Structure formats: C-alpha cells, structure tokens
Amino acid sequence: MSQKTVALNWGGSTWDGSIEWPQGSSRAYDLAVLLETGMTRHAAHPPFSYALVKKHHEHPYPGGISSAMEMLTMGAHVGTHVDAPGHISLDGCIFGGRVVGDYESSYDGISVGSVEELPPLIGPGHLVDGEVLFGRELTPADGFGADELESWFAHRTPPAPGSIVVFRTGYMKYWHDTDKYLGTGKGLPGVTLSGAKWLTDRGVRAVGSDTVNFENKPQWTVPALNVHVHMLVENGTPIMESLDLEALAADKIEDFFFVASALRIKGGTGSPIRPLAFVGGNK
C-alpha cells in the first residue's frame, strides 16, 4: 500500500486505493496527493489548512444523532491541481488574445480564461515514465524534449487529438521532503519547449506531471515559464501538476482512460482536482 492510500473497511472488505469493479473489467488508480495540514506547497501559493469546527456531540440532534463539519482554506494551485488558461499571461494577454487586465477582480477573480471554461478532462491517457526513458533517476538537467518523446512513443501507442499525456520524473518520491520535491536551490526535470510543441502539434487535450511546475527548470535562479506560455497562452491547453504517478509506474501502466475535472470556482486561475486513471481488468 502506498503512503497516500488508506485501508478502509466497507462491509467487511478493505480498499487499498484502487477500485476493482464487480465484473472485473476495470481498475482505477487515484492520482491525487492527500490534502493535509503542513503539506508540501510552492511558496508562491497559500497553504492548505483544516479545522474541525464542529465536533460530534457538541450540538447533538434528538435520537442520539450528531454531526461534524470542517473549514478548509487553500490556494487553488496547491496539491494536485490544474492550471487554467488564465493562470498565465504574455504581454497582458491570455489565450485567445484576451486582455486579462480588463477582466480581473480581487474577489471575483478573472472572468476570462478561468477554470469555469475548462471542460472535464476526459480521454485516452498516456504515461511517459522518465526513469524508464532515461534508465536512471532524473536530475534538473533532464528534459522531455521532442527527441525524447519520439523515442518513447516509437514503439508505444502515440498521443492523438484528445489525448492526455502525463510525465513521471520520480520526484513524487520526495513529496514529504519539501525542499527536495520543489528542487529548492537546484531546479527540476520536466518538459522542454520542444517537447511542449511536440505535444500540441498532436492536439493533446491536457498535460500533467508529478512535479510542482511541469516544465524543465535546469537552473533554480532562472525563471522557467516558456512551456506554460506555450501551453496556456498560445494553445489553451490545461496543465496539471503534482500528480501522484507512482502506482501507475509500479504496475507498469502506460496507457489508460483518464478522468478529472476542475471545481467550479468563479474566476479561478486553477483548481484542485481528483484525477483517476482507469485500466482494463487484464492489466
């Protein structure tokens, strides 16, 4: 059982984080990290916090019934999340050439390019496992460029229009070591601009990675946002970050059916998501 899953008992059977449908035809992998107080986050985004503001028996109902409820606060780009097109602008414009400054409000967010515009991210999914591709653990110098993607998909099912492609760097192993996961002072492996163009040329619906910034950041002190600009501003292609792809990699699952959806956050530049990867029962 991975560190992110919990064994639950439902009528005498336990759940280990995957789903076996009764007919044995499909299994689902949960690709989201656990939302919890103190969790790893990028310093630019507000932390996740949780408070159980009503405990059982504090306000009991007749007949021995009680309830509990909580309050959550968090940044929309914390944990497993999706970046909406309005998250990044270039020369004041977002995807579609829209001048985002005319549509911003401190309390209503952005009225163009927000997560409200994102349809559910549903379609054929493909995993690119960097540790398999490079044959070793990745370093910040390693990028998924066009050549690397050509090599990976040469003998695998290639992405097509509507595909969702996700990248495993292996850095999710360091999720509980904040500085190492974030690449503090060093940088991070990820997709390069040539790799991003390779993907958009094939009409992918969305992309994602197990890192906090998706794209290759070979030098910590040098900003790396050209891939975000290409994906979000030039193509309107959503980016997912902090996906937990370890279980897929452990089971050598490279092709699956992907499902995720953003919350309907008015004016949101991003949103937490709960992505699932479905595979056939014979996997």
Side-chain angles (χ1 to χ4, degrees), residues 98-221:
R98 294 170 288 183
V99 181
V100 71
D102 296 338
Y103 301 95
E104 290 182 300
S105 167
S106 295
Y107 298 102
D108 288 325
I110 57 172
S111 58
V112 292
S114 79
V115 292
E116 295 175 87
E117 295 182 10
L118 291 183
L121 305 178
I122 300 173
H126 308 279
L127 171 69
V128 180
D129 190 334
E131 291 191 350
V132 174
L133 175 62
F134 287 88
R136 53 172 171 76
E137 292 190 351
L138 272 60
T139 73
D142 295 318
F144 298 94
D147 290 343
E148 286 75 19
L149 293 179
E150 285 286 354
S151 175
W152 177 262
F153 286 109
H155 303 290
R156 293 176 171 87
T157 303
S163 291
I164 292 99
V165 183
V166 297
F167 294 82
R168 175 180 179 261
T169 67
Y171 270 54
M172 185 52 67
K173 298 193 296 286
Y174 313 130
W175 175 250
H176 294 287
D177 183 338
T178 297
D179 284 342
K180 196 166 186 178
Y181 177 74
L182 297 177
T184 304
K186 296 181 179 180
L188 289 168
V191 175
T192 69
L193 185 57
S194 72
K197 291 179 178 178
W198 190 94
L199 293 163
T200 55
D201 283 347
R202 284 152 182 79
V204 299
R205 175 166 289 138
V207 296
S209 74
D210 59 357
T211 61
V212 74
N213 70 323
F214 182 69
E215 62 194 277
N216 186 205
K217 185 179 175 65
Q219 295 176 280
W220 176 254
T221 56

Side-chain angles (χ1 to χ4, degrees), residues 195-283:
K197 291 179 178 178
W198 190 94
L199 293 163
T200 55
D201 283 347
R202 284 152 182 79
V204 299
R205 175 166 289 138
V207 296
S209 74
D210 59 357
T211 61
V212 74
N213 70 323
F214 182 69
E215 62 194 277
N216 186 205
K217 185 179 175 65
Q219 295 176 280
W220 176 254
T221 56
V222 179
L225 285 171
N226 57 354
V227 170
H228 274 67
V229 168
H230 178 74
M231 287 292 181
L232 298 175
V233 181
E234 297 174 357
N235 290 276
T237 304
I239 295 173
M240 297 173 287
E241 292 165 320
S242 295
L243 296 168
D244 189 343
L245 305 173
E246 292 304 288
L248 283 179
D251 289 348
K252 296 180 172 55
I253 302 296
E254 296 174 353
D255 297 295
F256 44 88
F257 189 77
F258 183 91
V259 177
S261 185
L263 300 177
R264 292 194 66 189
I265 302 172
K266 182 178 181 179
T269 66
S271 168
I273 55 174
R274 185 76 178 270
L276 299 172
F278 294 88
V279 298
N282 61 341
K283 291 290 185 180

